[in-house]
Amino acid sequence: MKEKVQAALDKVRVNLQADGGDAELVDVSDDGVVRVRLKGACHGCPMSQMTLKRGIERAIKAEVPEVKEVVAVD
């Protein structure tokens, strides 16, 4: 599942990088929780939670339905 999540995240990263941000896959747990680290302009951005849930999480869940949630870690 981790490879599928990475592939889905890579598709979204292009948009993040265009705005000076990025996201790194940290972990995919057996219970479907994906942990990502927001980097660059995304780290500390007031809109980062919306980007995480409406952008990154939505895209990953569309490609990998087994994913239950995407959370940010430091």
Side-chain angles (χ1 to χ4, degrees), residues 2 7 9 14 18 24 26 29-31 35-37 40 44 46 51-52 59 61 63-64 70 72:
K2 188 171 185 174
L9 180 60
V14 174
E24 170 190 2
V26 175
S29 69
D30 292 336
D31 60 348
R35 289 174 179 75
V36 297
R37 180 173 294 117
T51 299
L52 181 71
K61 283 182 169 182
E63 300 266 337
V64 190
V70 177

Side-chain angles (χ1 to χ4, degrees), residues 10-29:
D10 286 344
K11 291 179 184 178
V12 176
R13 289 178 65 217
V14 174
N15 296 325
L16 299 174
Q17 291 169 343
D19 289 331
D22 204 353
E24 170 190 2
L25 180 62
V26 175
D27 185 49
V28 179
S29 69

